[in-house]
Structure formats: structure tokens, C-alpha cells
Amino acid sequence: MEKELKKAFLAQVNIPEDTGKIFASYAKQFEELMMIYQCAIQEVTTKLEILSHEMSVRQQRNPIESIKYRIKKPKSIAEKLIRNGKDVSLESVSENLNDVAGVRVICSFIEDIYTVANMLTQQDDIVLLAVKDYIKNPKPNGYRSYHMIIEIPVFFSDKKQYIKVEVQIRTIAMDFWASLEHHVKYKKDIPDPEGIAARLQKCAEVISATDEEMQNIAKHIEML
Ligand code: 0O2
């Protein structure tokens, strides 16, 4: 499957037809670019794992529940570039996409999200490029999550390179909602899509109220 997606990406790039050689060299460059993003993910997840380890020892409660990550698939990369009216080329990937490397942090409580975001961005090798707070400003469909685009230095054998990583931080409940909504979004031929969207929107409101109440209870029993 991965190979097919890679082909789909490469097929959309303008390279001369005849050339197994050029194609192979382009595929190599693509692989190298993905390797660079993978390394940036490793750097960010290591930082988060260190924070998680430290807090599990030094504090009575660790705000980080779990850490996930993904590299954007070649097909999604190509689709997003096309959707945004950009060239499909290697240069265009680095120039126009912020979320090829994605790290997701799952927290128990809403306040934990801001605690983790601050702990990460106050590290002096991280550059914070952009923040989208979909918790304070939820999307119309009900999506809630805290997004940051950061740049992190990665040290290779011959150079230091700053790489962009999208960090999404959300509660367990927000993550549960986003997984189902993501599934619905990409599933074809769903009966009554408007009805499903309305029900999901309702669930997002319920989840948001529950997240707040859980936080209030945790504060009340002095857990936070
Ligand atoms: P996938 O499949 O997760 O890779 P920008 O990147 O800032 O130029 P964009 O992509 O609109 O513009 O940024 P935004 O809004 O921060 O969204 C980035 C990612 O957040 C999305 O990536 C999703 O992972 C997630 N996301 C945003 N909105 C929603 C939503 O309504 N529902 C769900 N389930 N996830 C959402 P991709 O590339 O869209 O998808």
C-alpha cells in the first residue's frame, strides 16, 4: 500500500518519462525528505517523553497520558498541495506544508494541555511559529484541539537543519471525538451525512461540558 501511495505522489510530479534513473533519484530524494521529518518527530517525541518521565517522578500526577505520531502519507501530501493550489514537488512540500511531521499529545484535563504546550515551547531550541487554539475557538463542526507549528533543530552528520512539526494537544475525550469524525469524513457513501454531522456536533458539546466538569471535580478534590 505504502508503495502505491508513493507512486501516486511521484506520478503527479513533473519528471521526464523515459528515465528510470531520474525517477529512482527522485524517489531517493523523497525518501530522504521523509527521513528528515521522521528525525524531527523523534526529537519532539523524545522531548515529550523526557517531560513525561520527569513529571511522573517529581509530581503527583503526570499531565501526559500518551504520545502518538505520524508522517503524512504521500497521497495526503499530494492531495493537500493540490487542494491548496500549490505545486506538487519536493520543494513545495517543505515550503507549503506544516504538518508532514505530526505529533499528538493526549492529556487528561484541559488545563494539562496548556501546561504541556508551555513546557515544550519554553525550551530554548524550539521556535514557535504558529498556534491555533481550537479549544477556545472550536471549529463549527465541533472540533477541539490545541495546535502548534514548531521548528526544531535536527543535527545531521554534515549540518543542522530546522524542521517544522505540527504538535496537536487534546484531551482523551477530544481525541475520541476527532478519531470518529476523521473516520466519517473520509468514508464514502455515508447515509444521511448531514444528520451524522449534527449528531457529532452535539457529541462535541457534551464532551466539552464533560471535560470541564471533570476538571472542576479534579480541582475540588485537589488533584490539580
Ligand atoms: P490528517 O489526515 O490528519 O493529516 P495548515 O496546516 O495550518 O496550513 P490546516 O491543515 O487547515 O492548515 O491546519 P489545521 O486546521 O491546524 O488542521 C491540521 C490537522 O488538524 C488536520 O490535518 C487534522 O489532523 C486536524 N484537524 C483539523 N480540523 C479537523 C477536524 O475538523 N476534524 C478532525 N478529525 N481533525 C481535524 P489534515 O491534513 O486535515 O488531515
Side-chain angles (χ1 to χ4, degrees), residues 185-224:
K185 203 186 273 176
Y186 288 99
K187 200 166 159 55
K188 290 193 178 88
D189 304 325
I190 292 181
D192 187 24
E194 289 86 14
I196 295 284
R199 286 163 72 185
L200 277 168
Q201 219 263 344
K202 181 98 188 300
C203 285
E205 297 306 320
V206 172
I207 279 172
S208 170
T210 307
D211 265 343
E212 284 201 18
E213 183 59 352
M214 296 278 277
Q215 179 162 280
N216 291 339
I217 294 168
K219 278 188 178 163
H220 189 74
I221 60 172
E222 294 180 356
M223 207 176 135
L224 289 183

Side-chain angles (χ1 to χ4, degrees), residues 70 72 80 132 134 139 141 143 147 168 178 181-182:
R70 66 104 182 89
K72 210 173 182 64
K80 192 161 188 174
K132 286 188 194 169
Y134 293 123
K139 285 196 164 183
N141 63 358
Y143 179 75
H147 293 191
Q168 300 182 349
E181 197 270 349
H182 191 267

